[in-house]
Amino acid sequence: MDLGLEGRVALVTGASQGIGAATAMQLAEAGCDIILAARSEGRLRRVADDIVARFGRKADIFAADLSSSKAVAALADRAGAVDILVNNAGAVPGGRLEDIGEDEWRAAWDLKVFGYINLTRLIYPQMASRGNGVIVNVIGAAAQIRNPTYICGVAGNAALTAFTMSIGSDSHRNGVRVVGVSPGPVATERLDNLGEAAVKQDAMPFGRAADPEEIASAIAFLASPRSGYTSGTVLMVDGGMSARAAG
């Protein structure tokens, strides 16, 4: 399927591995030039080199800790005018309320919650001034499943869900679409590190976690003109887990 993305510029955060790297690859395959941002310069370089070798697209990297508002501002300045922003950087720890201290809680939210908000605050006005652009926030099904052993992620994802829906409900005035994708468990290094907060494999839909490419495909479609009437909504890509929890 031609997604109509040839020649667009996409900025993807958390792009050194997992969902972010898979999304960058799919957007490049669809014809986008890519700006990749994450902490690890070495991993970013490998993804960028792969994009150039496989698809012949431009791939720039920006290595920084996006929990820093100064780093976010520097990234926005370096990126310039982008057509697509995929907010994906985040590492929220598992644990119950009594397991997570204030410093750990704030560090997690500085990266994922405030990182998304701050970068959106800088990129959105650029898109609005041109009357075109798409922001995709990769959030997480925890907001709907509400597992108390992942309380920091539950609350953060709920905030980002409301943030996405609120902006996206009104962004049409500026010709901009804002949407979210909320994955369930995904087969990445992060799933292995969540411990009790991760769903055990025998309880996962279809008996497995999602592949990063399955999440990336949803992101690429929502970012494309093929989904041009979609805004202010969050797509659940969790095999039905959140629907089951709601019941």
Side-chain angles (χ1 to χ4, degrees):
M1 179 187 293
D2 181 0
L3 294 179
L5 291 174
E6 184 71 29
R8 307 287 176 95
V9 177
L11 167 57
V12 183
T13 71
S16 62
Q17 59 185 332
I19 294 171
T23 298
M25 297 299 292
Q26 290 207 21
L27 290 174
E29 185 176 12
C32 293
D33 292 328
I34 310 294
I35 302 164
L36 306 111
R39 286 190 176 98
S40 172
E41 183 173 356
R43 287 184 172 184
L44 286 174
R45 177 56 61 194
R46 287 192 288 273
V47 176
D49 289 347
D50 202 11
I51 285 171
V52 173
R54 292 178 60 186
F55 308 116
R57 305 305 310 188
K58 185 178 179 182
D60 293 331
I61 67 171
F62 185 89
D65 178 358
L66 297 182
S67 66
S68 161
S69 58
K70 289 183 179 179
V72 170
L75 171 58
D77 184 62
R78 170 85 70 85
V82 298
D83 302 295
I84 299 165
L85 167 62
V86 180
N87 280 312
N88 174 68
V92 179
R96 296 179 179 274
L97 182 63
E98 61 271 23
D99 300 326
I100 308 170
E102 180 180 351
D103 289 346
E104 193 175 15
W105 194 290
R106 286 184 181 273
W109 278 40
D110 279 345
L111 177 58
K112 184 163 186 180
V113 180
F114 289 107
Y116 282 30
I117 292 170
N118 288 337
L119 192 52
T120 299
R121 288 177 60 246
L122 295 170
I123 297 295
Y124 183 94
Q126 299 177 18
M127 293 179 170
S129 69
R130 301 191 309 272
N132 187 39
V134 184
I135 297 173
V136 184
N137 292 324
V138 183
I139 304 172
Q144 285 73 30
I145 297 172
R146 304 184 185 96
N147 185 344
T149 69
Y150 187 52
I151 188 65
C152 187
V154 169
N157 289 354
L160 287 174
T161 296
F163 175 73
T164 299
M165 296 176 74
S166 181
I167 295 179
S169 72
D170 190 54
S171 60
H172 61 87
R173 295 185 305 109
N174 302 124
V176 179
R177 297 190 297 108
V178 182
V179 296
V181 172
S182 279
V186 182
T188 63
E189 289 181 17
R190 175 163 168 70
L191 184 64
D192 295 333
N193 295 332
L194 281 176
E196 184 185 358
V199 179
K200 303 305 180 185
Q201 183 166 340
D202 59 4
M204 291 180 187
F206 307 107
R208 64 176 180 85
D211 292 325
E213 289 75 17
E214 291 174 306
I215 311 303
S217 293
I219 294 167
F221 176 75
L222 286 173
S224 79
R226 294 272 186 174
S227 190
Y229 203 64
T230 309
S231 189
T233 192
V234 176
L235 174 66
M236 308 304 300
V237 189
D238 64 355
M241 291 177 64
S242 55
R244 184 174 64 205

